[in-house]
Amino acid sequence: MRTWSVAERHSVPKDRQGGAGEDRLVVLHDRHGALRCVAVVDGATDKSGRDYGGMSGGARAAEQVAGTLARLAADAGPERAVREITADLARLRARWGIANDDLVAPCAVAAVMLPQQEVVWRVGDVHVALARSAEEDAPGPASCWECHDGDKLLDRVLAQARAAFLHCLLAGDGDVSTLAAEDPGRALILPLLRRQSILANRPGPYGYGVLDGRRVPERFIDIFPLDGVDQVVLASDGYLSAEPSLASAERRLAASVATDPLRIDEHPATKAVRPGADSFDDRTYVRLIRPPG
């Protein structure tokens, strides 16, 4: 049997002085030492200002999802895992007195690899990439990568609105450093960011999947079989995509941050890079490999 192993892993908060951040990297083994579950969990950036026992809402939700994955049986498939996570997050909401219609309740997204079940499942905007080795005598690259970037229509619309507003300010002699520090573009879209969860796990063009204690419809659970796959990359959206190596992911991110700290050009987004920071968000990356066969 070809067994999976972790080739590279990395997780760093956006504010290295501000605690563990809102990402969690989960790596679990069975009693024989084989990988049982590997996950990247990304807690939503907190917009409420509430304190959940010394954690932000996003960090608290990510911690809960990681805890649920740790206690799940090895044969728990994607649908059961999402149900169990949802139930535990619903209990979390009850424990903290969070109403069902609370628009800034703790929530998270996740991509989870189950090596023994030969599948990756995902809810939300975590990046996933799968590589299949080419035949020995076949021309072209050694591995053919299939990328499933994590994004949603609502984020793209908000990012474009923010970018347009900041371009207007720059055209009026706005200063890049000042705009990055104050980010009036984010202030412009913040009312919608605070209300967007009303669209979570709902149908419609702006609906999207999230783990927040409410039922996740099947359409928002992505499932990627691993037949013929020799490498898997999971990366939170603190990276631009799930690159074939950690070095490549870091290099692309650093180049983007250096050339576009406002994040309004090639990769428009909903927030800028704060002055002095090396990135705009927590970032987590894990690459898994197994011998070809």
Side-chain angles (χ1 to χ4, degrees):
M1 180 179 178
R2 297 185 299 147
T3 58
W4 288 92
S5 61
V6 175
E8 296 183 286
R9 57 189 288 178
H10 185 64
S11 189
V12 60
K14 56 183 173 288
D15 179 4
R16 301 199 184 202
Q17 307 302 316
E22 293 166 325
D23 280 5
R24 296 295 182 271
L25 175 60
V26 179
V27 179
L28 304 170
H29 297 83
D30 65 19
R31 59 192 181 90
H32 302 294
L35 281 175
R36 175 169 69 84
C37 173
V38 178
V40 169
V41 185
D42 183 358
T45 300
D46 189 80
K47 304 168 191 72
S48 69
R50 300 173 191 159
D51 182 273
Y52 293 92
M55 290 185 178
S56 68
R60 179 61 68 184
E63 193 88 349
Q64 180 61 70
V65 173
T68 304
L69 290 172
R71 71 166 180 77
L72 280 176
D75 62 352
E79 293 83 2
R80 179 179 166 190
V82 172
R83 285 198 308 272
E84 294 281 343
I85 288 168
T86 297
D88 282 350
L89 286 171
R91 283 188 281 271
L92 178 76
R93 292 174 76 120
R95 189 160 66 247
W96 288 96
I98 301 166
N100 287 335
D101 60 353
D102 192 310
L103 294 176
V104 287
C107 61
V109 295
V112 181
M113 179 187 176
L114 302 173
Q116 296 171 28
Q117 297 186 41
E118 290 286 295
V119 71
V120 170
W121 65 263
R122 174 178 71 181
V123 171
D125 54 2
V126 178
H127 304 306
V128 175
L130 314 174
R132 292 175 171 83
S133 294
E135 298 293 332
E136 269 190 39
D137 299 327
S143 292
C144 301
W145 284 91
E146 174 187 306
C147 298
H148 304 273
D149 286 346
D151 64 356
K152 59 181 186 285
L153 177 58
L154 183 58
D155 281 348
R156 294 197 297 272
V157 169
L158 293 177
Q160 291 290 354
R162 174 181 168 272
F165 183 55
L166 287 173
H167 273 292
C168 288
L169 297 180
L170 286 172
D173 297 324
D175 175 70
V176 171
S177 296
T178 301
L179 291 176
E182 299 175 357
D183 206 345
R186 185 165 178 85
L188 175 76
I189 64 173
L190 192 55
L192 210 158
L193 287 172
R194 285 176 171 152
R195 294 191 63 81
Q196 69 175 342
S197 68
I198 201 169
L199 300 172
N201 297 324
R202 296 170 73 98
Y206 295 104
Y208 63 95
V210 73
L211 301 165
D212 67 354
R214 298 177 294 182
R215 177 181 170 272
V216 181
E218 188 176 328
R219 67 182 288 239
F220 293 127
I221 305 174
D222 298 319
I223 297 178
F224 309 105
L226 298 182
D227 298 338
V229 172
D230 298 312
Q231 296 188 67
V232 172
V233 173
L234 310 177
S236 67
D237 66 353
Y239 287 106
L240 302 181
S241 63
E243 294 288 316
S245 71
L246 176 59
S248 175
E250 288 283 326
R251 190 163 52 246
R252 265 196 83 198
L253 177 64
S256 178
V257 166
T259 59
D260 181 23
L262 286 176
R263 306 187 68 224
I264 58 175
D265 292 324
E266 185 180 358
H267 301 286
T270 59
K271 56 188 168 185
V273 180
R274 292 286 182 182
D278 63 357
S279 188
F280 48 83
D281 205 352
D282 306 326
R283 60 191 191 272
T284 298
Y285 177 102
V286 61
R287 180 168 64 91
L288 300 108
I289 59 172
R290 65 175 168 182

